[in-house]
Amino acid sequence: MKKTTGVIGGIVIVFIVAVILLINIDFNRLGKENAYVQLNEEPRVEEETLESGEVMKRYWYELPAYNKKGKVIAVEFSASRALREDAYLMLYLDDSNEVTSYDEVKESDIPSEVIEKIKS
């Protein structure tokens, strides 16, 4: 009886840990390469009117980004809102250099050789 209770308790704990991990892991960022960009250009805005009459806007950014080695990468990504002008972003790129996610970062978080390229 104690053995069965221990096994069931162990399975429940493993299940709870697995659920917590799946909730907290962002697979759009996991194992991705990073590149950095400064938002110094106006985005292209696309509007779509839904059947309800609500207007949805999508903000598209096409900018040069730089990987950790300072190599330039042309990227295009979108956001559901206009992002802060002159903000620095760390982009998450998949194998085909598609942006899967992004985070706003401070200038001090960007490698110095990359910040030099961004500012030039």
Side-chain angles (χ1 to χ4, degrees), residues 21-91:
L21 286 174
L22 288 174
I23 290 172
N24 291 317
I25 292 176
D26 186 350
F27 290 101
N28 289 324
R29 297 175 182 192
L30 189 64
K32 305 293 190 217
E33 293 293 321
N34 294 331
Y36 301 90
V37 67
Q38 184 179 23
L39 300 176
N40 52 14
E41 295 179 14
E42 288 292 317
R44 183 179 82 241
V45 181
E46 290 182 358
E47 292 184 357
E48 180 181 347
T49 305
L50 303 177
E51 290 179 12
S52 65
E54 183 180 1
V55 177
M56 302 294 291
K57 291 184 179 180
R58 196 96 195 132
Y59 298 85
W60 287 91
Y61 295 87
E62 290 183 52
L63 300 163
Y66 299 89
N67 67 12
K68 291 179 182 177
K69 297 177 184 175
K71 179 184 172 198
V72 67
I73 303 166
V75 296
E76 179 182 34
F77 62 97
S78 68
S80 59
R81 61 178 176 81
L83 301 177
R84 193 171 62 80
E85 188 175 334
D86 292 327
Y88 292 101
L89 299 181
M90 180 173 64
L91 307 175

